[in-house]
Structure formats: C-alpha cells, structure tokens
Amino acid sequence: MYFIFKDFYSPTTIKEFNNKINNSFEEETKDFPCDITNKTSIVKSILYSNVKYFLEPLLEKCKICNIDNKGYMLFEPTDYNLLNYNIYNKGQEYGWHSDGSPDMPFDQKWTLNINLSEKEFEGGDLELFLSKPITINEFRKAGTAIMFESWLQHRVTPVTSGERKTLTYWFIGPKFI
C-alpha cells in the first residue's frame, strides 16, 4: 500500500527546505553503508527539529492516511528523530531493500520520501515491488511525496544525469506482534 502527495511543496518552498537542510547537517554526519544491497548515494543526517516547520503539515496528512487505512500505532516524532537526506548523482543508485531491522526495539511502519530535487534528473526512478516492480512515475516531480509501508521492497534505479535529492522520514511504532 502506498499514497502519493502530488505537488505538496512549491518550487519556492523546496528551495527554502533545501537551504534549511544544508545549513543544519549534524556535525558527525556519515554515509550509512548497506551490507545487503548496492547503495551508492550520499546520505546525510538531519534532525527532525531542524525541518519540523516544513514537515508537520505533510506528517498530519500521512497520519490521517494511516488512521483511515491501516490504523498502525505510531509514535509521535521527537526533535531528535534523524531523517536521511539522500543525494544521487550520475551512476548512483540504491538496490532492492526494505526499511527497518528486527534488532530495533520498535518497527518502522511507514516510509515517507519527499522529492526535493531543484533541477530535473534522468533515471533515479523509485520502484516498489508489488508482485512485480512498479515504477512510481508521479514521484519524479519535485515537491511530491510518497508514503509506503516500510516492509515493501523498493529501490532507486541508477541516475543517468542530473542530481536527485530526497528526504526520508520513518513513522515508527510498537513492534508488530
């Protein structure tokens, strides 16, 4: 199951959002390697508190989608939740994977990705595996967001030109029983 929020952010807001992010990276930001799939993007950490202003309206819409469709128990975000700012340049990709780990004391219920690209790019398609790979064409448009169940296999195909920027937030909650 997934939900698309088309054109949620205007080009002006995207520019402001990116400026806020670029001035707020955590000092110890490191790339997060992935042992189980090919991941070549640049990933930087950003605290929720630094982008709360931009995220709160979208998170409210996402919570309504959750209530209306799945009713998962979700924890409220804290100022210290970390989000991933993902930058993909030519040749960079993220292979098939799902989000979360059984070692965590909570489960990731939903993954929220926001396209914050300021310029057009080629390749870099978001694909979900729903009995077969499905390309989410709507997500190519800057300012669009997608929320999908975190356990769904998904990937980003190699970028062939330009720069693809996204921000990822995870809705977490108590362990599924």
Side-chain angles (χ1 to χ4, degrees):
M1 177 171 282
Y2 66 93
F3 302 94
I4 302 281
F5 305 95
K6 293 181 184 178
D7 301 317
F8 195 84
Y9 298 103
S10 71
T12 301
T13 303
I14 292 168
K15 184 177 277 304
E16 292 170 0
F17 207 153
N18 279 317
N19 285 338
K20 180 65 173 170
I21 290 169
N22 287 319
N23 291 317
S24 304
F25 288 124
E26 290 305 291
E27 198 170 312
E28 296 289 318
T29 295
K30 297 178 183 172
D31 190 20
F32 298 96
C34 185
D35 298 333
I36 58 172
T37 191
N38 188 29
K39 177 182 152 204
T40 57
S41 64
I42 299 162
V43 181
K44 298 183 178 186
S45 298
I46 185 81
L47 285 172
Y48 174 75
S49 60
N50 291 322
V51 292
K52 183 191 302 190
Y53 169 80
F54 295 100
L55 278 178
E56 281 182 331
L58 179 57
L59 295 188
E60 289 303 308
K61 287 187 86 69
C62 291
K63 288 188 271 186
I64 292 298
C65 285
N66 173 62
I67 290 166
D68 289 347
N69 293 278
K70 290 292 185 171
Y72 294 147
M73 292 274 301
L74 303 175
F75 299 141
E76 286 296 315
T78 73
D79 286 348
Y80 300 99
N81 282 92
L82 285 176
L83 290 78
N84 283 356
Y85 188 61
N86 312 287
I87 304 165
Y88 295 82
N89 291 299
K90 186 176 180 178
Q92 294 182 316
E93 66 185 306
Y94 196 169
W96 288 109
H97 67 284
S98 60
D99 296 335
S101 166
D103 300 331
M104 292 190 268
F106 53 82
D107 278 335
Q108 289 175 263
K109 312 288 183 161
W110 297 100
T111 297
L112 175 65
N113 279 330
I114 306 164
N115 182 340
L116 293 177
S117 304
E118 292 183 54
K119 297 178 183 171
E120 294 205 12
F121 59 90
E122 296 294 324
D125 291 320
L126 174 65
E127 294 184 343
L128 301 178
F129 194 88
L130 303 167
S131 73
K132 65 179 183 176
I134 305 292
T135 301
I136 309 298
N137 291 316
E138 299 93 337
F139 191 67
R140 293 195 59 73
K141 181 129 175 32
T144 295
I146 183 171
M147 180 177 85
F148 55 89
E149 291 174 292
S150 297
W151 53 266
L152 280 176
Q153 288 284 313
H154 56 284
R155 74 173 175 175
V156 176
T157 64
V159 169
T160 56
S161 70
E163 183 178 63
R164 178 189 194 269
K165 293 180 182 179
T166 62
L167 185 69
T168 304
Y169 173 85
W170 295 276
F171 288 93
I172 62 173
K175 289 280 224 192
F176 286 119
I177 296 177

